[in-house]
Amino acid sequence: MLYPKITQTRNLINLCGIWNFKGDFNEEGYKEEWFKNGLKDYDFMPVPSSYNDITTDGRLRDIVGDVWYQKDIIVPNNWNEDKIFIRVGSASHNSKIWINGNLVKEYVGGFLPFEADITDYVKYGEENRIIICVNNELSWQTFPPGEVYYFEDADGNKIKKQKQQHDFFNYGGIHRPVYIYTRPKVHIEDVSVKTTDFKGEKGYINYEVFTNEDCNNIEVEIYDEENNLKGKSKGKEGTVQVDGVKLWEPGNPYLYKFVANIKNEDELIDTYNLNIGIRTVKIESGQLLINNKPFYFKGFGKHEDMDIKGKGLDDAVNIRDFNLLKWTNANSFRTSHYPYSEEILDLADKYGIVVIDEVPAVGMLGQAVPAVGELDGVFREDKINGDTLKEHIRITKELIARDKNHPSVVMWSLANEASVMEPRAGEYFKELVEETRKLDDRPLMNVNIMLAEPGKCHVSKYFDVIGLNLYFGWYSERGDIASGAKRLLQWLEDWHEKEGKPIVMTEYGCDTIAGLHKQPSIMFSEEFQVEFLKEYHRVYDKLPFVIGEQVWNFADFMTGQDIVRIDGNKKGVFTRQRQPKMAAHYLKERWEKISNHFTK
Ligand code: GCB
């Protein structure tokens, strides 16, 4: 799905700002037809933002159910020659949109964009009422999964609550920009630049342009960063050759502008452009090669998370994060545990930061994180079943459709810490992987939980790269880093022996209270975090099949309330306000010595 933008043939109104808002605490919205009648006694709410931390009302922070947004806008008269769409970057988790009382879209999923053709419902030159209802309820058929239940308090009142297995706050609301925008009646629907290649000085861009009606006159042009025309082609698919190619490299990105036009003689019917990079990605001899050179991932698992705004898109925070990634000499991150905003991926392309792009399949597990001991099975008819798999395939398809053109994305991660020890998980992931491979050539990763012992995973055999989340010395061998590191070495060697695939350490780390210093170190002190990371790194440096290290987490982040979470998860190398703990300085020093294209 293309990101909306203004071009010579397209127009756009950005609806970010203040919307009218109402939390539906008593489930009245549908009964009273708020979608038709509009909101009364409303609050104000910023878009994009999570709603949870904006007001002082605990009921809204913890609501399980619907919230309603309203915005009244005038659609310009001169838009009446075009098709008009409304597009939401993401809203967590399930949404419905009404235009002037007409339901135009229902969408399930909290982290991907959705849009609707509203041409037939808008009034030109007059006020139009947009109502969006966002529901945050999870089930075993949603991503992430969760469960709504009723808790009976001491007075016998039934209170609606939600269980979740994932370890981040279940923020809700409209999290990314809302636009209405135009496309000409005959228009470009999508552009695909999934594969690029190069030989010596020549670059090759394999493209496909999709249109809503059959069009013969499609033309493609490639411009360099100085706006010089570097190549062109005609037709809806083909290859454009670029001489004197400049590659998109980690830490040294070069972006070309890809322009697609539909023309009728000399008349421009539609035009759309996007940034692309020329680079290759493949797995060979146990390494991940970018532009035929082995790549070592150094970086973090992250979250979209901030004070007050929760998961709402924040350009200032995002630019700060990329500056900090650069400052620590990181070259990559994983979009743990859901697709991040398109705006973040654009920045990754521009900063030359490599991305492991993850679907929101987190918490496919019989226990909440941090899970310990024996787990209940979840790959069974009443939990993760055929319908769950269908949804998993759908969101994976949508993720790839959205992100396929980003040079920064080098791998798809299809799940984090699923219950891979269950034989039925094997069948499930086999089908998911087969379906995904039909869509894209990029390597596939599954991220494993520490409870999955080497040789007991039914899933990793279908994937190209194994992600491991290990916390020996923290969740086990608590406080004993040396014993944790011994187990780590053994564990990694065993995993490699059993699966024979490259491993990325997708999570390792420990909760650390900024400003807590202890010598000798103890758990939660800044010294402990540094020592923990150092010991882990000693192990990785001995093992050539470990092709990357991504510390958990880039920054402290909010979680649900729990006795193991004090105002959230504190495993950040940066605080939630993006200031460094001691570990950030240590990582900066270590990663300075590891080049972006690394050979151990
Ligand atoms: C994990 C999860 C991550 C948690 C982390 C932790 O394994 O993947 O979502 O936040 O552990 O801190 O326990």
Side-chain angles (χ1 to χ4, degrees):
M1 188 193 284
L2 295 176
Y3 194 86
K5 58 168 68 168
I6 295 180
T7 71
Q8 285 144 281
T9 55
R10 294 173 173 228
N11 219 329
L12 169 148
I13 300 174
N14 184 340
L15 299 179
C16 294
I18 313 294
W19 288 50
N20 297 349
F21 175 87
K22 197 162 170 163
D24 195 356
F25 302 117
N26 303 316
E27 302 190 3
E28 294 160 342
Y30 283 99
K31 281 182 228 147
E32 294 175 5
E33 303 194 315
W34 294 354
F35 49 88
K36 232 191 235 162
N37 303 326
L39 305 185
K40 308 210 167 58
D41 304 322
Y42 49 80
D43 290 324
F44 298 116
M45 191 55 68
V47 170
S49 175
S50 300
Y51 52 74
N52 309 74
D53 296 341
I54 298 288
T55 74
T56 52
D57 187 348
R59 288 180 311 161
L60 182 61
R61 190 196 55 205
D62 297 328
I63 192 171
V64 179
D66 296 331
V67 301
W68 297 75
Y69 291 80
Q70 177 180 329
K71 185 118 191 143
D72 296 340
I73 56 144
I74 292 183
V75 175
N77 282 328
N78 60 359
W79 279 25
N80 65 359
E81 289 293 303
D82 292 321
K83 280 189 167 294
I84 303 181
F85 291 79
I86 183 163
R87 195 223 207 227
V88 180
S90 79
S92 293
H93 292 279
N94 311 306
S95 309
K96 288 188 187 169
I97 310 177
W98 290 264
I99 305 287
N100 299 325
N102 302 290
L103 180 66
V104 294
K105 185 77 189 174
E106 282 188 62
Y107 184 76
V108 174
F111 301 97
L112 287 165
F114 49 96
E115 62 180 15
D117 182 343
I118 57 171
T119 319
D120 294 340
Y121 303 100
V122 294
K123 296 180 270 177
Y124 299 93
E126 284 179 51
E127 288 250 297
N128 290 266
R129 173 158 298 166
I130 305 172
I131 300 266
I132 304 183
C133 176
V134 185
N135 171 286
N136 67 352
E137 293 173 29
L138 302 171
S139 75
W140 282 102
Q141 281 65 52
T142 60
F143 286 88
E147 230 173 288
V148 172
Y149 68 99
Y150 287 86
F151 163 80
E152 203 171 304
D153 72 8
D155 300 328
N157 300 316
K158 287 208 165 133
I159 302 164
K160 200 175 183 186
K161 298 238 175 202
Q162 179 146 256
K163 268 191 218 145
Q164 61 175 54
Q165 290 78 254
H166 54 274
D167 183 35
F168 51 92
F169 192 83
N170 189 36
Y171 278 115
I174 302 180
H175 284 151
R176 297 179 192 156
V178 183
Y179 297 111
I180 59 167
Y181 73 98
T182 67
R183 298 182 204 165
K185 293 233 160 70
V186 176
H187 59 255
I188 296 161
E189 287 235 307
D190 200 6
V191 171
S192 171
V193 185
K194 280 197 276 193
T195 60
T196 52
D197 205 351
F198 63 94
K199 235 183 226 133
E201 294 282 287
K202 293 195 189 317
Y204 304 96
I205 298 161
N206 303 314
Y207 74 87
E208 213 172 334
V209 176
F210 301 87
T211 50
N212 68 324
E213 285 179 18
D214 239 1
C215 298
N216 297 321
N217 280 337
I218 293 171
E219 187 185 276
V220 157
E221 292 164 339
I222 306 293
Y223 293 89
D224 67 11
E225 287 183 356
E226 278 73 49
N227 233 6
N228 302 309
L229 182 65
K230 296 297 288 183
K232 353 164 158 205
S233 173
K234 279 198 185 317
K236 61 180 178 216
E237 58 188 310
T239 301
V240 190
Q241 185 182 309
V242 172
D243 291 336
V245 63
K246 291 190 180 143
L247 297 180
W248 188 94
E249 301 250 45
N252 186 23
Y254 194 90
L255 294 172
Y256 290 94
K257 185 152 63 153
F258 180 100
V259 181
N261 299 321
I262 306 179
K263 284 197 165 164
N264 189 1
E265 308 285 311
D266 271 345
E267 192 198 351
L268 188 61
I269 306 291
D270 191 19
T271 180
Y272 188 85
N273 62 77
L274 70 160
N275 285 334
I276 59 155
I278 300 179
R279 57 107 184 87
T280 59
V281 180
K282 55 182 171 249
I283 302 279
E284 218 173 79
S285 317
Q287 299 286 332
L288 184 133
L289 308 182
I290 300 181
N291 301 337
N292 300 325
K293 290 183 267 179
F295 179 74
Y296 189 79
F297 294 84
K298 30 175 196 163
F300 302 93
K302 286 184 94 266
H303 266 299
E304 289 180 316
D305 174 88
M306 190 28 111
D307 257 359
I308 302 175
K309 291 190 94 169
K311 290 202 173 306
L313 175 77
D314 187 326
D315 290 333
V317 173
N318 291 340
I319 299 274
R320 169 81 180 168
D321 282 6
F322 277 92
N323 281 321
L324 294 177
L325 287 167
K326 284 298 200 195
W327 180 76
T328 52
N329 296 302
N331 63 6
S332 64
F333 64 85
R334 175 171 61 120
T335 71
S336 41
H337 295 304
Y338 38 81
Y340 290 3
S341 68
E342 292 148 281
E343 291 79 359
I344 290 181
L345 291 180
D346 283 343
L347 289 175
D349 292 344
K350 288 181 181 151
Y351 278 86
I353 294 285
V354 168
V355 175
I356 301 174
D357 205 354
E358 189 157 282
V359 300
V362 52
M364 301 173 78
L365 204 64
Q367 248 182 53
V369 167
V372 283
E374 279 291 303
L375 297 178
D376 294 337
V378 288
F379 284 85
R380 48 183 236 204
E381 263 328 294
D382 61 333
K383 292 200 167 164
I384 299 175
N385 54 25
D387 290 338
T388 316
L389 176 58
K390 261 191 226 145
E391 271 302 282
H392 205 155
I393 293 171
R394 176 181 70 86
I395 51 163
T396 304
K397 280 187 177 161
E398 287 185 21
L399 173 75
I400 294 176
R402 190 195 73 160
D403 292 349
K404 58 187 181 293
N405 297 326
H406 288 282
S408 55
V409 174
V410 301
M411 184 146 61
W412 310 107
S413 165
L414 298 191
N416 179 77
E417 299 196 338
S419 193
V420 294
M421 303 75 88
E422 295 175 43
R424 287 183 68 179
E427 297 157 33
Y428 179 102
F429 278 96
K430 181 170 185 281
E431 194 170 334
L432 176 66
V433 166
E434 279 169 8
E435 290 300 316
T436 309
R437 292 210 194 277
K438 288 181 197 159
L439 305 170
D440 195 75
D441 292 341
R442 268 165 269 216
L444 301 183
M445 168 188 261
N446 172 55
V447 176
N448 284 290
I449 189 164
M450 167 169 151
L451 293 173
E453 289 171 30
K456 301 250 168 85
C457 171
H458 292 276
V459 166
S460 292
K461 59 180 176 236
Y462 302 116
F463 286 83
D464 305 300
V465 178
I466 295 173
L468 292 182
N469 297 348
L470 299 176
Y471 293 91
F472 305 127
W474 186 256
Y475 288 129
S476 66
E477 295 96 357
R478 297 177 182 175
D480 182 353
I481 300 175
S483 303
K486 274 189 203 149
R487 186 120 88 100
L488 174 72
L489 178 62
Q490 190 63 54
W491 197 271
L492 287 170
E493 282 176 335
D494 288 354
W495 259 94
H496 188 247
E497 193 198 306
K498 301 277 194 245
E499 305 289 344
K501 302 208 165 147
I503 293 175
V504 175
M505 280 296 301
T506 34
E507 287 183 27
Y508 60 106
C510 43
D511 289 80
T512 305
I513 308 300
L516 180 68
H517 292 283
K518 292 282 175 180
Q519 190 59 40
S521 73
I522 61 168
M523 291 171 91
F524 295 99
S525 67
E526 293 206 29
E527 285 77 4
F528 188 91
Q529 190 181 31
V530 172
E531 285 163 28
F532 183 99
L533 297 178
K534 273 190 184 158
E535 276 305 314
Y536 269 58
H537 294 154
R538 260 183 222 124
V539 173
Y540 307 160
D541 290 347
K542 290 183 196 147
L543 305 173
F545 55 81
V546 173
I547 62 158
E549 53 192 59
Q550 293 189 328
V551 179
W552 191 255
N553 187 285
F554 174 76
D556 295 345
F557 58 92
M558 193 44 69
T559 64
Q561 299 187 55
D562 200 309
I563 48 167
V564 293
R565 295 288 177 258
I566 308 162
D567 190 30
N569 187 310
K570 295 281 187 269
K571 292 194 186 67
V573 162
F574 294 94
T575 63
R576 204 177 186 207
Q577 278 64 43
R578 278 36 179 195
Q579 296 302 336
K581 300 180 191 172
M582 268 168 61
H585 297 276
Y586 157 65
L587 288 172
K588 174 176 166 55
E589 230 178 275
R590 168 175 168 81
W591 289 342
E592 194 176 5
K593 296 183 204 117
I594 302 175
S595 79
N596 284 325
H597 272 116
F598 176 71
T599 346
K600 272 189 193 166

Tab-separated table of all heavy atoms in Angstrom, residues 554-590:
chain	number	residue	atom	x	y	z
A	554	PHE	N	16.558	-0.957	23.641
A	554	PHE	CA	17.126	0.359	23.355
A	554	PHE	C	16.823	1.339	24.497
A	554	PHE	O	17.716	2.009	25.014
A	554	PHE	CB	16.526	0.855	22.035
A	554	PHE	CG	16.902	2.256	21.663
A	554	PHE	CD1	18.158	2.542	21.165
A	554	PHE	CD2	15.983	3.286	21.799
A	554	PHE	CE1	18.505	3.839	20.822
A	554	PHE	CE2	16.316	4.578	21.457
A	554	PHE	CZ	17.592	4.857	20.973
A	555	ALA	N	15.570	1.395	24.917
A	555	ALA	CA	15.175	2.357	25.975
A	555	ALA	C	14.169	1.703	26.920
A	555	ALA	O	13.476	0.756	26.542
A	555	ALA	CB	14.546	3.606	25.338
A	556	ASP	N	14.091	2.206	28.131
A	556	ASP	CA	13.067	1.747	29.070
A	556	ASP	C	11.697	1.973	28.446
A	556	ASP	O	11.504	2.937	27.692
A	556	ASP	CB	13.143	2.543	30.376
A	556	ASP	CG	14.446	2.302	31.139
A	556	ASP	OD1	15.154	1.324	30.808
A	556	ASP	OD2	14.750	3.092	32.047
A	557	PHE	N	10.752	1.093	28.772
A	557	PHE	CA	9.422	1.250	28.152
A	557	PHE	C	8.325	0.802	29.116
A	557	PHE	O	8.576	0.084	30.070
A	557	PHE	CB	9.336	0.461	26.839
A	557	PHE	CG	9.613	-1.027	26.990
A	557	PHE	CD1	8.589	-1.932	27.211
A	557	PHE	CD2	10.909	-1.515	26.915
A	557	PHE	CE1	8.841	-3.291	27.331
A	557	PHE	CE2	11.183	-2.880	27.052
A	557	PHE	CZ	10.154	-3.763	27.258
A	558	MET	N	7.109	1.238	28.824
A	558	MET	CA	5.980	0.955	29.707
A	558	MET	C	5.433	-0.450	29.453
A	558	MET	O	5.420	-0.933	28.322
A	558	MET	CB	4.877	2.016	29.501
A	558	MET	CG	3.816	2.001	30.560
A	558	MET	SD	4.437	1.850	32.259
A	558	MET	CE	5.237	3.436	32.462
A	559	THR	N	5.018	-1.082	30.545
A	559	THR	CA	4.406	-2.415	30.461
A	559	THR	C	3.104	-2.377	31.254
A	559	THR	O	2.771	-1.362	31.863
A	559	THR	CB	5.329	-3.472	31.106
A	559	THR	OG1	5.446	-3.157	32.502
A	559	THR	CG2	6.700	-3.502	30.464
A	560	GLY	N	2.417	-3.509	31.309
A	560	GLY	CA	1.292	-3.634	32.232
A	560	GLY	C	1.837	-3.673	33.657
A	560	GLY	O	3.051	-3.805	33.867
A	561	GLN	N	0.925	-3.536	34.625
A	561	GLN	CA	1.387	-3.535	36.014
A	561	GLN	C	1.668	-4.967	36.470
A	561	GLN	O	0.903	-5.873	36.192
A	561	GLN	CB	0.313	-2.924	36.905
A	561	GLN	CG	0.002	-1.501	36.531
A	561	GLN	CD	-0.940	-0.855	37.522
A	561	GLN	OE1	-0.668	-0.827	38.713
A	561	GLN	NE2	-2.055	-0.370	37.023
A	562	ASP	N	2.791	-5.112	37.163
A	562	ASP	CA	3.203	-6.448	37.602
A	562	ASP	C	4.253	-6.302	38.701
A	562	ASP	O	4.948	-5.272	38.745
A	562	ASP	CB	3.821	-7.197	36.405
A	562	ASP	CG	3.817	-8.694	36.629
A	562	ASP	OD1	4.284	-9.128	37.691
A	562	ASP	OD2	3.337	-9.420	35.737
A	563	ILE	N	4.395	-7.346	39.522
A	563	ILE	CA	5.400	-7.235	40.593
A	563	ILE	C	6.832	-7.294	40.059
A	563	ILE	O	7.766	-6.930	40.749
A	563	ILE	CB	5.221	-8.315	41.692
A	563	ILE	CG1	5.045	-9.688	41.056
A	563	ILE	CG2	4.054	-7.976	42.619
A	563	ILE	CD1	5.165	-10.821	42.033
A	564	VAL	N	7.017	-7.739	38.817
A	564	VAL	CA	8.381	-7.711	38.265
A	564	VAL	C	8.615	-6.478	37.376
A	564	VAL	O	9.628	-6.397	36.692
A	564	VAL	CB	8.726	-8.993	37.467
A	564	VAL	CG1	8.790	-10.196	38.379
A	564	VAL	CG2	7.727	-9.208	36.320
A	565	ARG	N	7.688	-5.574	37.356
A	565	ARG	CA	7.845	-4.379	36.515
A	565	ARG	C	7.585	-3.139	37.359
A	565	ARG	O	6.455	-2.920	37.811
A	565	ARG	CB	6.854	-4.426	35.336
A	565	ARG	CG	7.113	-5.567	34.344
A	565	ARG	CD	8.344	-5.326	33.499
A	565	ARG	NE	8.636	-6.429	32.606
A	565	ARG	CZ	9.587	-7.348	32.825
A	565	ARG	NH1	10.332	-7.321	33.913
A	565	ARG	NH2	9.808	-8.298	31.945
A	566	ILE	N	8.639	-2.352	37.577
A	566	ILE	CA	8.492	-1.145	38.400
A	566	ILE	C	8.381	0.034	37.450
A	566	ILE	O	9.379	0.459	36.867
A	566	ILE	CB	9.726	-0.965	39.310
A	566	ILE	CG1	9.970	-2.261	40.088
A	566	ILE	CG2	9.551	0.228	40.238
A	566	ILE	CD1	11.342	-2.381	40.672
A	567	ASP	N	7.164	0.551	37.272
A	567	ASP	CA	6.944	1.598	36.291
A	567	ASP	C	7.491	1.175	34.922
A	567	ASP	O	8.175	1.929	34.243
A	567	ASP	CB	7.608	2.906	36.772
A	567	ASP	CG	7.207	4.092	35.916
A	567	ASP	OD1	6.086	4.076	35.374
A	567	ASP	OD2	8.023	5.026	35.777
A	568	GLY	N	7.252	-0.063	34.584
A	568	GLY	CA	7.649	-0.539	33.256
A	568	GLY	C	8.899	-1.394	33.271
A	568	GLY	O	9.428	-1.754	34.319
A	569	ASN	N	9.346	-1.705	32.061
A	569	ASN	CA	10.534	-2.543	31.866
A	569	ASN	C	11.749	-1.624	31.800
A	569	ASN	O	11.762	-0.648	31.039
A	569	ASN	CB	10.351	-3.324	30.557
A	569	ASN	CG	11.437	-4.360	30.328
A	569	ASN	OD1	12.618	-4.067	30.434
A	569	ASN	ND2	11.036	-5.572	29.986
A	570	LYS	N	12.752	-1.945	32.601
A	570	LYS	CA	13.904	-1.041	32.728
A	570	LYS	C	15.155	-1.606	32.063
A	570	LYS	O	16.269	-1.304	32.474
A	570	LYS	CB	14.189	-0.784	34.218
A	570	LYS	CG	13.067	-0.032	34.934
A	570	LYS	CD	13.155	1.455	34.625
A	570	LYS	CE	12.189	2.279	35.436
A	570	LYS	NZ	10.892	2.492	34.807
A	571	LYS	N	14.971	-2.435	31.056
A	571	LYS	CA	16.157	-3.017	30.412
A	571	LYS	C	16.779	-2.067	29.388
A	571	LYS	O	17.708	-2.436	28.671
A	571	LYS	CB	15.802	-4.354	29.755
A	571	LYS	CG	15.457	-5.428	30.797
A	571	LYS	CD	15.439	-6.828	30.230
A	571	LYS	CE	14.958	-7.829	31.250
A	571	LYS	NZ	13.540	-7.679	31.639
A	572	GLY	N	16.288	-0.869	29.328
A	572	GLY	CA	16.841	0.085	28.367
A	572	GLY	C	18.309	0.389	28.613
A	572	GLY	O	18.760	0.449	29.756
A	573	VAL	N	18.989	0.597	27.494
A	573	VAL	CA	20.361	1.120	27.565
A	573	VAL	C	20.256	2.650	27.683
A	573	VAL	O	21.138	3.310	28.202
A	573	VAL	CB	21.119	0.648	26.301
A	573	VAL	CG1	22.360	1.450	26.048
A	573	VAL	CG2	21.409	-0.842	26.402
A	574	PHE	N	19.111	3.164	27.210
A	574	PHE	CA	18.746	4.561	27.441
A	574	PHE	C	17.501	4.584	28.331
A	574	PHE	O	16.733	3.622	28.367
A	574	PHE	CB	18.442	5.273	26.113
A	574	PHE	CG	19.654	5.403	25.237
A	574	PHE	CD1	19.923	4.450	24.262
A	574	PHE	CD2	20.549	6.454	25.407
A	574	PHE	CE1	21.060	4.549	23.473
A	574	PHE	CE2	21.684	6.557	24.624
A	574	PHE	CZ	21.952	5.600	23.653
A	575	THR	N	17.316	5.682	29.024
A	575	THR	CA	16.091	5.838	29.807
A	575	THR	C	14.922	6.070	28.848
A	575	THR	O	15.113	6.267	27.642
A	575	THR	CB	16.192	7.058	30.739
A	575	THR	OG1	16.331	8.223	29.911
A	575	THR	CG2	17.378	6.948	31.688
A	576	ARG	N	13.739	6.090	29.419
A	576	ARG	CA	12.572	6.343	28.562
A	576	ARG	C	12.657	7.728	27.926
A	576	ARG	O	12.120	7.970	26.848
A	576	ARG	CB	11.289	6.211	29.401
A	576	ARG	CG	10.076	5.886	28.555
A	576	ARG	CD	8.834	5.685	29.380
A	576	ARG	NE	7.730	5.239	28.540
A	576	ARG	CZ	6.456	5.458	28.809
A	576	ARG	NH1	6.106	6.085	29.911
A	576	ARG	NH2	5.505	5.033	28.000
A	577	GLN	N	13.371	8.654	28.598
A	577	GLN	CA	13.555	10.017	28.051
A	577	GLN	C	14.770	10.098	27.127
A	577	GLN	O	15.212	11.173	26.743
A	577	GLN	CB	13.703	11.036	29.179
A	577	GLN	CG	12.376	11.484	29.769
A	577	GLN	CD	11.644	10.319	30.441
A	577	GLN	OE1	12.272	9.524	31.152
A	577	GLN	NE2	10.360	10.205	30.226
A	578	ARG	N	15.336	8.925	26.817
A	578	ARG	CA	16.441	8.839	25.842
A	578	ARG	C	17.726	9.496	26.322
A	578	ARG	O	18.414	10.214	25.570
A	578	ARG	CB	16.026	9.450	24.502
A	578	ARG	CG	15.213	8.588	23.544
A	578	ARG	CD	14.233	7.683	24.109
A	578	ARG	NE	13.530	6.939	23.060
A	578	ARG	CZ	12.410	6.264	23.259
A	578	ARG	NH1	11.861	6.194	24.453
A	578	ARG	NH2	11.850	5.608	22.265
A	579	GLN	N	18.064	9.260	27.597
A	579	GLN	CA	19.389	9.642	28.105
A	579	GLN	C	20.162	8.369	28.441
A	579	GLN	O	19.569	7.381	28.877
A	579	GLN	CB	19.247	10.532	29.348
A	579	GLN	CG	18.572	11.872	29.079
A	579	GLN	CD	19.293	12.715	28.028
A	579	GLN	OE1	20.489	12.559	27.796
A	579	GLN	NE2	18.553	13.602	27.370
A	580	PRO	N	21.506	8.403	28.231
A	580	PRO	CA	22.268	7.157	28.340
A	580	PRO	C	22.473	6.663	29.781
A	580	PRO	O	22.696	7.456	30.686
A	580	PRO	CB	23.621	7.535	27.728
A	580	PRO	CG	23.710	9.016	27.837
A	580	PRO	CD	22.311	9.541	27.769
A	581	LYS	N	22.383	5.340	29.938
A	581	LYS	CA	22.920	4.703	31.141
A	581	LYS	C	24.383	4.370	30.828
A	581	LYS	O	24.818	4.495	29.663
A	581	LYS	CB	22.124	3.439	31.463
A	581	LYS	CG	20.643	3.696	31.719
A	581	LYS	CD	19.891	2.404	32.040
A	581	LYS	CE	18.393	2.625	32.032
A	581	LYS	NZ	17.609	1.381	32.147
A	582	MET	N	25.124	3.881	31.830
A	582	MET	CA	26.545	3.564	31.592
A	582	MET	C	26.728	2.607	30.408
A	582	MET	O	27.687	2.699	29.644
A	582	MET	CB	27.142	2.897	32.846
A	582	MET	CG	27.790	3.857	33.821
A	582	MET	SD	28.148	3.036	35.394
A	582	MET	CE	29.269	1.733	34.919
A	583	ALA	N	25.797	1.672	30.282
A	583	ALA	CA	25.913	0.651	29.236
A	583	ALA	C	25.955	1.265	27.840
A	583	ALA	O	26.576	0.709	26.921
A	583	ALA	CB	24.750	-0.330	29.335
A	584	ALA	N	25.307	2.425	27.662
A	584	ALA	CA	25.293	3.047	26.328
A	584	ALA	C	26.719	3.455	25.945
A	584	ALA	O	27.140	3.285	24.791
A	584	ALA	CB	24.363	4.246	26.322
A	585	HIS	N	27.452	3.973	26.930
A	585	HIS	CA	28.841	4.375	26.655
A	585	HIS	C	29.693	3.147	26.335
A	585	HIS	O	30.547	3.168	25.456
A	585	HIS	CB	29.419	5.124	27.861
A	585	HIS	CG	28.696	6.407	28.154
A	585	HIS	ND1	28.994	7.582	27.500
A	585	HIS	CD2	27.674	6.684	28.995
A	585	HIS	CE1	28.182	8.537	27.957
A	585	HIS	NE2	27.384	8.017	28.851
A	586	TYR	N	29.453	2.074	27.078
A	586	TYR	CA	30.210	0.840	26.826
A	586	TYR	C	29.927	0.301	25.412
A	586	TYR	O	30.852	-0.060	24.671
A	586	TYR	CB	29.896	-0.215	27.906
A	586	TYR	CG	30.166	-1.606	27.413
A	586	TYR	CD1	31.477	-2.009	27.092
A	586	TYR	CD2	29.128	-2.519	27.193
A	586	TYR	CE1	31.736	-3.277	26.566
A	586	TYR	CE2	29.371	-3.772	26.670
A	586	TYR	CZ	30.668	-4.143	26.354
A	586	TYR	OH	30.919	-5.376	25.819
A	587	LEU	N	28.647	0.285	25.033
A	587	LEU	CA	28.294	-0.247	23.709
A	587	LEU	C	28.898	0.603	22.593
A	587	LEU	O	29.393	0.089	21.588
A	587	LEU	CB	26.772	-0.317	23.543
A	587	LEU	CG	26.073	-1.407	24.353
A	587	LEU	CD1	24.555	-1.263	24.256
A	587	LEU	CD2	26.484	-2.809	23.880
A	588	LYS	N	28.874	1.897	22.816
A	588	LYS	CA	29.443	2.828	21.823
A	588	LYS	C	30.903	2.461	21.549
A	588	LYS	O	31.340	2.412	20.397
A	588	LYS	CB	29.322	4.244	22.385
A	588	LYS	CG	29.981	5.333	21.577
A	588	LYS	CD	29.658	6.676	22.240
A	588	LYS	CE	30.527	7.805	21.720
A	588	LYS	NZ	30.487	7.974	20.277
A	589	GLU	N	31.616	2.165	22.622
A	589	GLU	CA	33.036	1.824	22.499
A	589	GLU	C	33.232	0.481	21.800
A	589	GLU	O	34.058	0.336	20.911
A	589	GLU	CB	33.592	1.700	23.913
A	589	GLU	CG	34.854	2.480	24.155
A	589	GLU	CD	35.253	2.290	25.600
A	589	GLU	OE1	34.719	3.053	26.437
A	589	GLU	OE2	36.046	1.361	25.884
A	590	ARG	N	32.424	-0.505	22.214
A	590	ARG	CA	32.562	-1.834	21.599
A	590	ARG	C	32.220	-1.776	20.122
A	590	ARG	O	32.941	-2.291	19.283
A	590	ARG	CB	31.641	-2.835	22.301
A	590	ARG	CG	31.509	-4.166	21.550
A	590	ARG	CD	30.716	-5.203	22.278
A	590	ARG	NE	30.358	-6.345	21.443
A	590	ARG	CZ	31.153	-7.358	21.159
A	590	ARG	NH1	32.384	-7.389	21.644
A	590	ARG	NH2	30.763	-8.356	20.387
